[in-house]
Amino acid sequence: MAAREGSLVAAVLEHSGRLDKEHLGARVGRLSRRVEELKGEVCTMINKKYVDFLPSMRGAEELVTHVEGLANNIDQLKAHIENEVQQDLNVAGAEFTELKQQLEKDTLVLSVLKKLQEFDTALKEFHSALLEEQYVTAAQQLEKARSSLRLLESRKGFELKILKALGKELIVQTQNIIYHLWQEWQKLVVWKLPPSKGSSSLEAVVLSELHLHTVPAQDLDSAVPPVQPVLQALAVLGELHYKLKDFGHFLLQYILKPLILHPSLEPVSEEQPDVFILRFRSQELALDEASPMEVFEKIQLVFEVLQKYLLNVPLEQPGEGRVILAELLGELIWEELSDCLIHNCLVKSIPTNSSKLEQYKEVITSTEEFEKALKKMQFLKEDTTALLKYACNVNSHFANKKCQDVIMAARNLMTSEIHNTVKITPDSRVTLPELPDPGSGDHLKMQRASELPSGVVNLGSESRLSPLTLSLPTCRISSSVQQLVELAYHTLLEATASTDLCCLQLFNCVRDIFQLFCEVVPTYHRENLQKLPQLAAIHHNNCMYIAHHLLTLGHQFRYSSAGVLSSVAVTFVDLVPAFRRLGVECFLAQMRVQKGEILERLSSARNFSNMDDEENYRAANKAIKQDISAEDADRLYSLCRTMVEEGPQVFTPLLEEDKNKKYQEEVPVYVQNWMTFKELMIILQANLQEIVDQWADGKGPLAKEFSAAEVKSLIRALFQNTERRAAALAKIK
């Protein structure tokens, strides 16, 4: 047993230099447990061999001695571990950490150097490919260099000054290849434009041509189109979108839009061995507006040419897969092209009469076929239906266009001259086709008095009212107002033959016409209505004429159609009070003005008292007539001229006549009313316009000498009561 324990201790000591603290601690624990087991065995041996007590005791003492020696060895081993082995382990751990960090740093440096090498290799291959005009390879190598640079820039905490220089070099080389690609593109796609590029006139756009040098050589049937590597390189560089956008702008401005805006233009194609040419030809006998079918045919021809000679090449976009050039170009130009087609082609083709709506189905069919053709060529996606939706909504567009035309026509009539009049008599009628007979409905059947149901007493007689009952009295109205009412009747007649939606829209449009009249006419003609009494009277008649028609306008058309008008409140009666008030207020305002002028004229009549007195009679007669005859005016002017010519000769302080002229010119300085006297002379011989010019809105020489009331009195005395005199009086204020 002792030998076994000694060998155990020796083994422990032999391996102590190679064990770490934790392992040695575990070994010490096991040795301690073994000591306890040995103690137990000693006790057991004592108990079993008490007969041989002494020998056993001696053996036990020896065992205890060995155990104590073993315990001392354990303590020594533990102290060795704590003092020497642990220190060696700490040093080894620090060395390991340092080596690990150095390894990571070396690995990072190695990867950076590798990426720098890849960047340098890619740039070298790029330059080589660019010199050989292998643009796709050059673009790919440039993107490899860009990828390597991105990885270098993404490493945090490892910045190199060289990366900025590499980035600048990459930008320079990118612009270099883009420049080469654009140069190649300009050789393949050549625009022959007119000298004045911004002009959209027919003479300028007819000179535009598109030359496509994209046709493969005839001796190489399977050759790749020369445009394919250029477009593919642009796709690799991410520049394809910008190039197609630029091409689409020229395509719209110089080919597609001119075909839409100029009906006489016709596309002409010409294919030569190495080039395809697309140019224009102007037709001499062309309509002012081309039909949508003709425009669609021209546009489709252009797209077919582009699809065949330019856009039908296979391309791959990195990270996105296959690229369809036609679809990409369509996305860039379709919104603007469709807007142009709608506003300059489809809008103009909308009928102006409901009877032509049935013919518009041909336009709808042509629009649908046009969109299908573009989708087949992959210019449009399957869900694109902007043109077809617009064309199919023709009823709404017809109503909008009709309402817009009606409102514009009505406004032109409202702003035309009021004084152009026509005579209206009680038997005057609006020029219209005969309206349908409203008596066909059960709700409109009339019964004669003799056919009244039993129990109903007939209180009337067989005599009828006068044909002139409820008729408008004979008067004169503006011809523009007569045309305005006729426009309203024709629009309502158009509404009865339209769809329900269009019918309601046209009915509301007619209401808008009359509401617009109440706002536009008093504002636009305000000055004339205030100054010219005759126009105020005509305006009064106009308003009463419109109000007279509004009383029955809605009822005349309510049952002329089986549509929506027969089921809603179609009436204009609510507008009647507004029109009557509009005419009466203007007329009364003019009456008040005329009353004031009459009272002003009669202010010098001495209240018409003592008419037996000759002086009072002459004053009253003069106040009523207010007239200076032409002969009297000439005599007054002659007297005034004599005064002006000979009066200054009174100023002769010097004996020399020539020297007195200076003092004679200074008469206005000494005679206070001299200039007033001279202005009066001018009025006596001037016409109305000259007097107004002398007044000059209160700033002229006449306004400095006379008040507005004095000038008005002179005008009334010198000129007869006419519209021109009334207009002149209105300007003197």
Side-chain angles (χ1 to χ4, degrees):
M1 180 179 298
R4 188 173 60 182
E5 292 173 354
S7 63
L8 179 61
V9 172
V12 170
L13 293 175
E14 181 180 358
H15 293 84
S16 60
R18 295 183 291 109
L19 300 176
D20 57 11
K21 183 178 180 180
E22 182 179 357
H23 182 63
L24 291 177
R27 295 291 297 275
V28 171
R30 289 198 295 273
L31 290 175
S32 299
R33 288 194 296 274
R34 183 57 180 165
V35 170
E36 294 299 325
E37 290 176 359
L38 290 176
K39 288 182 179 180
E41 291 180 1
V42 170
C43 293
T44 303
M45 291 174 62
I46 293 173
N47 290 331
K48 290 182 179 180
K49 299 181 180 180
Y50 64 90
V51 179
D52 301 326
F53 176 74
L54 185 59
S56 298
M57 183 182 67
R58 290 177 180 172
E61 290 176 350
E62 293 177 358
L63 183 60
V64 169
T65 302
H66 286 293
V67 169
E68 289 177 352
L70 182 60
N72 290 332
N73 292 335
I74 291 173
D75 293 337
Q76 293 177 3
L77 179 61
K78 185 176 181 180
H80 178 72
I81 291 173
E82 292 178 353
N83 295 330
E84 298 181 7
V85 176
Q86 182 64 40
Q87 185 177 0
D88 294 339
L89 287 175
N90 292 336
V91 173
E95 292 178 353
F96 174 77
T97 302
E98 184 179 356
L99 291 174
K100 181 181 178 181
Q101 292 176 351
Q102 185 65 35
L103 178 62
E104 291 176 351
K105 185 176 181 180
D106 293 342
T107 303
L108 179 60
V109 171
L110 183 61
S111 64
V112 169
L113 292 175
K114 184 177 180 181
K115 289 300 177 183
L116 289 174
Q117 182 184 14
E118 292 177 359
F119 182 90
D120 182 67
T121 302
L123 276 186
K124 289 180 179 178
E125 294 181 0
F126 159 76
H127 286 294
S128 176
L130 188 61
L131 289 175
E132 297 175 2
E133 297 185 352
Q134 297 178 3
Y135 297 114
V136 178
T137 303
Q140 292 172 345
Q141 293 300 323
L142 196 62
E143 287 304 304
K144 284 184 180 180
R146 195 186 313 279
S147 177
S148 299
L149 184 60
R150 288 198 190 103
L151 288 175
L152 291 173
E153 292 174 343
S154 65
R155 297 185 182 276
K156 297 181 179 179
F158 194 85
E159 292 82 9
L160 292 175
K161 294 182 178 180
I162 194 175
L163 295 184
K164 293 184 178 179
L166 295 180
K168 292 180 180 178
E169 178 65 17
L170 191 62
I171 293 174
V172 170
Q173 297 306 326
T174 301
Q175 296 303 317
N176 184 21
I177 187 175
I178 290 177
Y179 172 78
H180 281 81
L181 291 174
W182 283 38
Q183 290 290 101
E184 291 295 328
W185 173 267
Q186 291 178 355
K187 295 177 183 177
L188 297 171
V189 180
V190 181
W191 290 95
K192 302 287 187 178
L193 301 179
S196 56
K197 294 183 180 180
S199 176
S200 59
S201 63
L202 179 61
E203 293 76 11
V205 298
V206 77
L207 300 177
S208 302
E209 293 183 5
L210 174 60
H211 292 213
L212 299 176
H213 297 268
T214 58
V215 182
Q218 295 181 354
D219 55 343
L220 298 176
D221 296 335
S222 60
V224 176
V227 75
Q228 196 273 342
V230 175
L231 294 175
Q232 180 62 62
L234 288 172
V236 172
L237 295 171
E239 296 290 326
L240 181 61
H241 175 86
Y242 302 105
K243 174 46 63 181
L244 282 184
K245 185 176 181 180
D246 182 65
F247 175 76
H249 171 73
F250 278 83
L251 184 66
L252 281 170
Q253 183 175 356
Y254 295 106
I255 292 184
L256 298 179
K257 284 187 177 181
L259 287 175
I260 300 172
L261 299 176
H262 301 287
S264 62
L265 283 183
E266 181 180 358
V268 179
S269 59
E270 177 184 352
E271 184 173 359
Q272 298 180 4
D274 59 343
V275 64
F276 182 87
I277 302 175
L278 182 64
R279 60 168 61 94
F280 291 125
R281 179 174 59 199
S282 180
Q283 302 176 1
E284 296 182 359
L285 301 177
L287 299 176
D288 294 335
E289 295 180 2
S291 66
M293 290 73 74
E294 295 175 348
V295 174
F296 292 158
E297 183 179 353
K298 296 175 183 178
I299 300 296
Q300 184 174 338
L301 174 62
V302 173
F303 280 120
E304 289 174 351
V305 167
L306 294 177
Q307 176 69 7
K308 181 178 180 181
Y309 294 98
L310 181 63
L311 304 177
N312 190 23
V313 293
L315 296 180
E316 293 290 333
Q317 183 79 26
E320 298 181 8
R322 186 170 179 267
V323 176
I324 302 175
L325 283 177
E327 182 177 322
L328 183 57
L329 179 62
E331 291 176 356
L332 292 172
I333 69 172
W334 178 246
E335 182 178 357
E336 187 174 352
L337 177 60
S338 60
D339 287 344
C340 185
L341 284 170
I342 289 173
H343 294 99
N344 297 284
C345 181
L346 291 180
V347 167
K348 295 180 179 180
S349 68
I350 294 174
T352 56
N353 193 293
S354 58
S355 61
K356 298 181 181 179
L357 284 174
E358 189 67 22
Q359 303 174 5
Y360 199 76
K361 291 182 178 179
E362 183 180 359
V363 175
I364 297 176
T365 302
S366 177
T367 304
E368 184 177 9
E369 293 176 352
F370 176 66
E371 284 191 346
K372 285 182 179 179
L374 295 188
K375 290 175 182 178
K376 185 177 180 181
M377 290 184 287
Q378 296 183 309
F379 279 96
L380 297 183
K381 295 182 178 179
E382 290 298 326
D383 57 349
T384 304
T385 57
L387 290 180
L388 186 59
K389 285 182 179 179
Y390 186 89
C392 291
N393 199 18
V394 61
N395 289 323
S396 176
H397 300 317
F398 163 73
N400 292 334
K401 183 177 181 180
K402 185 68 177 180
C403 291
Q404 183 179 2
D405 294 343
V406 169
I407 291 293
M408 289 300 297
R411 192 181 185 283
N412 291 335
L413 291 173
M414 295 174 197
T415 55
S416 60
E417 296 295 339
I418 298 179
H419 59 75
N420 296 327
T421 62
V422 293
K423 185 177 181 180
I424 297 297
T425 60
D427 57 348
S428 298
R429 295 289 184 270
V430 177
T431 306
L432 275 179
E434 185 177 355
L435 296 176
D437 184 8
S440 58
D442 294 336
H443 55 291
L444 292 177
K445 289 182 178 178
M446 305 297 292
Q447 293 179 322
R448 293 178 59 86
S450 60
E451 299 173 350
L452 292 175
S454 59
V456 178
V457 180
N458 183 10
L459 298 179
S461 63
E462 291 296 328
S463 62
R464 297 185 177 182
L465 295 174
S466 169
L468 302 181
T469 304
L470 300 180
S471 296
L472 189 70
T474 300
C475 63
R476 298 195 72 86
I477 65 170
S478 300
S479 59
S480 60
V481 169
Q482 185 185 43
Q483 296 172 24
L484 183 68
V485 173
E486 291 178 355
L487 177 64
Y489 272 93
H490 281 282
T491 305
L492 288 176
L493 186 62
E494 184 84 21
T496 60
S498 304
T499 61
D500 289 349
L501 179 63
C502 182
C503 181
L504 284 177
Q505 199 166 347
L506 291 176
F507 168 73
N508 291 327
C509 177
V510 175
R511 288 187 61 89
D512 292 341
I513 288 176
F514 294 116
Q515 291 173 349
L516 189 65
F517 183 94
C518 296
E519 301 294 334
V520 171
V521 173
T523 304
Y524 186 84
H525 299 283
R526 177 185 289 113
E527 185 176 356
N528 289 335
L529 293 177
Q530 292 175 350
K531 297 177 181 179
L532 305 178
Q534 184 180 7
L535 293 189
I538 294 174
H539 176 65
H540 170 268
N541 294 347
N542 292 341
C543 293
M544 294 303 166
Y545 177 77
I546 294 175
H548 177 75
H549 280 277
L550 291 179
L551 287 171
T552 58
L553 182 59
H555 301 286
Q556 295 180 58
F557 292 92
R558 182 173 184 179
Y559 301 111
S560 61
S561 172
V564 68
L565 290 183
S566 61
S567 59
V568 297
V570 181
T571 181
F572 297 88
V573 176
D574 57 308
L575 300 177
V576 172
F579 272 88
R580 289 177 174 172
R581 184 169 57 253
L582 183 66
V584 169
E585 288 178 353
C586 178
F587 188 74
L588 290 180
Q590 189 60 241
M591 291 289 288
R592 288 190 291 269
V593 172
Q594 295 302 316
K595 178 181 178 181
E597 292 185 359
I598 292 175
L599 292 177
E600 182 182 352
R601 294 178 184 181
L602 298 179
S603 61
S604 60
R606 302 180 183 180
N607 296 327
F608 296 99
S609 60
N610 300 326
M611 289 293 99
D612 56 343
D613 185 0
E614 185 65 24
E615 184 178 353
N616 289 344
Y617 175 77
R618 284 198 303 270
N621 185 48
K622 183 178 179 181
I624 292 175
K625 289 184 176 180
Q626 291 287 307
D627 186 22
I628 299 176
S629 66
E631 183 180 357
D632 291 341
D634 290 338
R635 290 179 178 179
L636 286 173
Y637 177 78
S638 177
L639 292 174
C640 292
R641 184 177 62 182
T642 301
M643 179 64 70
V644 169
E645 292 175 352
E646 299 181 3
Q649 297 179 5
V650 177
F651 295 87
T652 55
L654 302 176
L655 296 177
E656 294 84 356
E657 186 175 352
D658 296 338
K659 296 182 179 180
N660 288 326
K661 187 175 181 181
K662 171 184 176 183
Y663 300 98
Q664 293 172 359
E665 292 175 349
E666 294 179 351
V667 172
V669 178
Y670 306 103
V671 181
Q672 184 177 1
N673 294 327
W674 185 255
M675 297 305 298
T676 304
F677 186 73
K678 295 185 71 174
E679 288 296 327
L680 178 61
M681 280 186 59
I682 294 175
I683 293 177
L684 290 173
Q685 288 293 299
N687 56 37
L688 286 171
Q689 185 60 47
E690 291 172 346
I691 295 174
V692 172
D693 293 341
Q694 285 290 103
W695 180 258
D697 294 330
K699 300 177 182 178
L702 183 59
K704 294 180 180 179
E705 309 300 334
F706 292 94
S707 66
E710 290 172 337
V711 175
K712 287 183 178 180
S713 297
L714 287 171
I715 291 176
R716 294 190 186 103
L718 291 169
F719 299 95
Q720 296 180 355
N721 187 11
T722 61
E723 289 187 8
R724 292 184 60 195
R725 192 186 82 168
L729 289 173
K731 295 179 181 179
I732 307 298
K733 54 185 177 180

